[in-house]
């Protein structure tokens, strides 16, 4: 089970890197549909992008 969650998490990070804000939105929608993607991974990746200057904090929070 741990390997499956790790696989979903790594794909979520790659999706956010590739799609940006749309990746955060898609990740949160998938997480809300009970697909085992951790919202903590999605929002943590968004926070890291905001800290590095790739996205703004308000963009990440509003999504």
């Amino acid at each position: 089970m741990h390997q499956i969650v790790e696989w979903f998490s790594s794909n979520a990070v790659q999706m956010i890197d590739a799609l940006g804000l749309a990746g955060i939105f898609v990740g949160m929608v998938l997480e809300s549909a009970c697909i085992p993607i951790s919202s903590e991974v999605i929002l943590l990746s968004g926070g890291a992008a905001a800290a590095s200057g790739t996205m703004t904090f308000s963009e990440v929070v509003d999504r």
Side-chain angles (χ1 to χ4, degrees):
M1 181 68 168
H2 176 70
Q3 293 171 342
I4 294 170
V5 173
E6 186 176 323
W7 182 79
F8 275 114
S9 297
S10 67
N11 284 336
V13 171
Q14 291 174 358
M15 180 177 59
I16 292 169
D17 288 341
L19 300 176
L21 293 173
I24 294 174
F25 176 77
V26 169
M28 294 305 291
V29 167
L30 292 175
E31 192 267 337
S32 296
C34 297
I35 295 175
I37 298 174
S38 175
S39 62
E40 290 83 5
V41 171
I42 296 167
L43 293 178
L44 183 63
S45 300
S52 69
T54 307
M55 300 176 200
T56 65
F57 178 75
S58 62
E59 289 174 333
V60 173
V61 172
D62 288 340
R63 303 293 172 228

